[in-house]
Amino acid sequence: MDFSIAMTGFVAIYIFMLAGFAGWVIIGHVPAILHTPLMSGSNFVHGIVVVGGIFALLNASTLQQQAIGFFAVLLGAGNAAGGYAVTDRMLAMFQVSDHRKPKVAHARAHHAKKT
Amino acid sequence: MLITTAQFAIGAVDLAAAFLFLFGLQRMSSPVTAPSGIKVAGVGMAVAVLASFLYVFSVEDAAKPFLVTNISLAVIALVVGGGIAWFAGKRVAMTAMPQMVAIYNGLGGGAAGAIAAVELFGGKYSGLTQLGVTLLGALIGAVSMSGSIIAWAKLDGVLNRPMRFKGQRELNALVLLVTIAVGGTIVFATSMRDFLDISTSGLIYGFLALSLVLGILLTLPIGGADMPVVISIYNAFTGLAVGLEGFVLQNPALMIAGMVVGAAGMLLTLLMAQAMNRSIANVLFSNFGEVSAQKQGAIKGELKPTAAGDAGIAMRYASKVIIIPGYGLAVAQGQQKLYEFVKLLQAGGVNVKFAIHPVAGRMPGQMDVLLAEAGVPYDMIFQLEDINADFATTDVALVIGANDVVNPAARTDRSSPIFGMPILDADKAKQVYVVKRGEGKGYAGIVNSLFYGDNCNMVYGDAQAVLIKMIEAVRGLGLPAAA
């Protein structure tokens, strides 16, 4: 069985169209209160570019390609790791009032004890 | 056999990663599920990165002698790049978040540009369509990288004034045209390579350098207040560049993730521009902030200062208070004290809500994050469209470190640069207190008629110092907390 993927012409355009539509619809539902974590979260998602960087670096066959490939992985890894770190930190801060969600209030009390 | 197995594993893992990204982003649409959303997306990223090392089984023949070196380089780059960014991200102050997002975004754009450069120098694209897409991805990625760095410098205050000169737009258009022409030459030279022996190496360097210069030139004239929109656009750009490079590398996970972010970034940019009642073109090319030094309509009334303690006590005796925080609050690091004051009011039975304007802070939603950091529960925080009707029945509106977003001129004064921008109707409250450092103007440089209204008093001083005085005054009353 052949598991290689070939995306040419219309297949690629279909993928782009559907993905673009999915992004538009998903983000359209996000409330304004989450816009900053969302922007940094989507910023994290394009950190997947690091995978492309690894591919390019592994296939590098000249010093020039190695240098640029190394640069690509370095930057891509920074994008992914940094984007995750800040988004996770921000989202952990969002809490509801104590009386509505006792479970969250408990978690916060626990956190307060630690600090 | 090994190659097929590796190929299958990479395909399956990337498929899972693409699903986890979409699922994670979808979970981010509510504050309740959002923290798990980023973790889901994080798992997708981790497995995709690990699986990408399976490419070692299918490297090109030319690269085989370098395999060990290349694997080591990849691991070092992952650890160093990821490690530095991780620690920076864990330590950065929440007020500096927009700069940090700008940097991370620039890194992603640079990575996409660098991948394109490897493909271009190595001639690894198959066919002219792929070459064209590679070049487009390189252009967008490079613009995003250098533009994001300028945006960072502006947000961080390294560059504190827009750089504008005569003929700037013409120069930018010229640079763009030359860049496209160089790209076209590369395509042409490549299509002719069977007949002519032209080295495209120099052209590729030129193309990449011009793209970087273009990103700098485009971003320099835009004012600091508009940087959130700019970051959002560059975020979309990086997504697009990643998607295009994904096509070149025939990697559907990159294509999907990149395009999802590209579309999401465009939507977010549009929403932001809407919140300021301006078009994206207006943000990018209008040199906003220069026109506002124009004549101001005569404003009746005068500024009426009052003591912080008096304002605090008045709020304690009110039944309904809405607080409008702005970036000035964050600059004064007053969020913690503000919430302490709010808890004091709540203990006295006062109904307190926060009203957040969509463009409060230096990026949309940043004020929400800063309040969340201080411990304010998000169900006390209301967005403009949900709370504006409440001001008419509110006893006190406390404006703290915000200015343009409560300027009634946006509703009434056609000559005002912010006319038409949706604002928080603080002026409709029975009493308004404005906490401000001095009599200066807001970011847009416009006089605020709210401050001169009969129902408005000014409390001058640093937001944090003012809040401490308010807390002391209310405590000094010695009132029992409401049951």
Side-chain angles (χ1 to χ4, degrees):
Chain A
M1 198 171 170
D2 184 15
F3 292 111
S4 62
I5 305 169
M7 288 162 300
T8 50
F10 277 114
V11 178
I13 297 171
Y14 273 115
I15 293 178
F16 280 144
M17 180 191 75
L18 291 171
F21 199 73
W24 189 274
V25 171
I26 291 171
I27 297 318
H29 289 157
V30 176
I33 187 172
L34 286 174
H35 274 175
T36 290
L38 176 78
M39 206 196 280
S40 97
S42 62
N43 186 28
F44 159 71
V45 166
H46 66 52
I48 187 72
V49 70
V50 67
V51 167
I54 293 172
F55 177 83
L57 177 55
L58 291 179
N59 284 295
S61 51
T62 65
L63 189 61
Q64 181 195 36
Q65 289 172 21
Q66 283 177 317
I68 305 175
F70 179 78
F71 192 57
V73 180
L74 191 75
L75 298 187
N79 182 178
Y84 183 87
V86 294
T87 311
D88 190 46
R89 254 181 79 193
M90 279 193 275
L91 288 175
M93 290 170 185
F94 283 91
Q95 292 165 337
V96 253
S97 294
D98 299 8
H99 58 276
R100 297 201 192 172
K101 276 268 172 84
K103 235 174 120 185
V104 180
H106 175 75
R108 196 197 307 170
H110 180 69
H111 180 72
K113 230 182 282 168
K114 263 198 304 189
T115 48
Chain B
M1 184 58 206
L2 201 54
I3 293 177
T4 321
T5 313
Q7 234 171 27
F8 175 79
I10 294 173
V13 170
D14 281 2
L15 182 66
F19 170 78
L20 291 173
F21 286 152
L22 288 170
F23 185 61
L25 278 176
Q26 202 267 329
R27 285 188 75 82
M28 274 195 220
S29 59
S30 147
V32 182
T33 53
S36 67
I38 182 68
K39 292 199 163 62
V40 166
V43 170
M45 186 71 74
V47 293
V49 169
L50 286 177
S52 66
F53 279 93
L54 293 173
Y55 285 128
V56 294
F57 295 111
S58 55
V59 292
E60 293 157 17
D61 290 335
K64 276 188 180 144
F66 305 98
L67 199 52
V68 176
T69 323
N70 288 348
I71 293 172
S72 321
L73 282 175
V75 173
I76 294 170
L78 277 177
V79 172
V80 174
I84 293 174
W86 179 270
F87 284 112
K90 285 285 175 198
R91 298 173 65 115
V92 64
M94 283 297 148
T95 38
M97 199 51 75
Q99 291 94 300
M100 214 62 208
V101 172
I103 291 182
Y104 293 146
N105 185 54
L107 295 180
I115 292 169
V118 173
E119 301 298 303
L120 289 170
F121 285 123
K124 298 183 179 184
Y125 43 82
S126 57
L128 292 181
T129 311
Q130 282 216 352
L131 174 59
V133 174
T134 312
L135 285 168
L136 188 59
L139 171 65
I140 298 173
V143 165
S144 178
M145 172 160 111
S146 58
S148 295
I149 292 171
I150 299 296
W152 164 80
K154 288 192 178 230
L155 285 164
D156 207 49
V158 179
L159 285 175
N160 47 17
R161 50 176 48 247
M163 279 189 203
R164 293 164 185 163
F165 48 86
K166 220 167 169 264
Q168 194 162 23
R169 255 175 267 180
E170 290 75 8
L171 177 72
N172 292 355
L174 186 71
V175 174
L176 177 64
L177 285 176
V178 173
T179 313
I180 293 171
V182 173
T185 314
I186 295 172
V187 175
F188 177 74
T190 309
S191 70
M192 290 284 132
R193 69 180 155 191
D194 294 342
F195 314 103
L196 299 162
D197 187 27
I198 312 171
S199 166
T200 52
S201 193
L203 287 171
I204 295 169
Y205 276 119
F207 181 79
L208 294 171
L210 279 168
S211 305
L212 289 172
V213 169
L214 187 62
I216 296 172
L217 286 177
L218 283 174
T219 321
L220 277 178
I222 305 171
D226 286 334
M227 277 308 125
V229 183
V230 172
I231 299 179
S232 183
I233 290 178
Y234 285 145
N235 190 30
F237 269 26
T238 302
L240 199 60
V242 171
L244 293 175
E245 295 315 323
F247 169 71
V248 176
L249 300 177
Q250 291 285 297
N251 184 320
L254 260 71
M255 290 171 73
I256 291 171
M259 200 47 74
V260 164
V261 174
M266 276 333 287
L267 177 59
L268 214 52
T269 312
L270 281 172
L271 290 176
M272 262 186 260
Q274 258 170 28
M276 298 193 288
N277 192 40
R278 294 162 61 198
S279 69
I280 293 175
N282 179 277
V283 172
L284 294 181
F285 305 118
S286 76
N287 292 359
F288 190 75
E290 269 186 352
V291 281
S292 50
Q294 36 147 264
K295 40 118 199 151
Q296 301 284 349
I299 289 176
K300 284 174 201 154
E302 55 185 335
L303 297 170
K304 297 167 288 295
T306 192
D310 296 346
I313 289 168
M315 279 182 267
R316 172 61 183 79
Y317 286 114
S319 64
K320 204 170 157 193
V321 172
I322 297 180
I323 299 173
I324 301 162
Y327 194 66
L329 175 71
V331 172
Q333 295 289 321
Q335 305 94 296
Q336 302 281 351
K337 287 289 164 204
L338 177 60
Y339 188 44
E340 198 181 325
F341 177 61
V342 167
K343 281 191 278 195
L344 210 54
L345 295 181
Q346 283 181 317
V350 184
N351 175 358
V352 188
K353 288 175 179 172
F354 289 90
I356 309 273
H357 191 272
V359 294
R362 286 292 174 272
M363 75 192 276
Q366 192 194 4
M367 222 47 241
D368 305 274
V369 173
L370 293 170
L371 289 178
E373 186 190 20
V376 178
Y378 60 78
D379 47 9
M380 280 177 70
I381 302 173
F382 293 84
Q383 304 301 318
L384 184 137
E385 60 275 16
D386 301 323
I387 200 162
N388 244 358
D390 287 15
F391 280 106
T393 58
T394 294
D395 301 308
V396 179
L398 173 65
V399 180
I400 186 157
N403 191 341
D404 297 326
V405 297
V406 290
N407 192 341
R411 283 199 311 257
T412 53
D413 180 4
R414 289 195 166 273
S415 68
S416 171
I418 58 167
F419 178 73
M421 177 172 99
I423 59 154
L424 288 162
D425 297 332
D427 56 323
K428 294 189 175 158
K430 292 190 189 86
Q431 168 70 43
V432 183
Y433 290 111
V434 178
V435 179
K436 232 170 148 300
R437 288 188 76 87
E439 294 184 8
K441 294 167 185 170
Y443 230 89
I446 309 155
V447 173
N448 194 334
S449 57
L450 167 75
F451 303 166
Y452 296 85
D454 291 335
N455 60 344
C456 181
N457 288 97
M458 309 296 288
V459 183
Y460 290 118
D462 173 81
Q464 177 153 241
V466 165
L467 284 162
I468 290 172
K469 280 187 204 150
M470 285 182 177
I471 292 168
E472 281 168 1
V474 173
R475 287 230 172 93
L477 291 173
L479 292 177

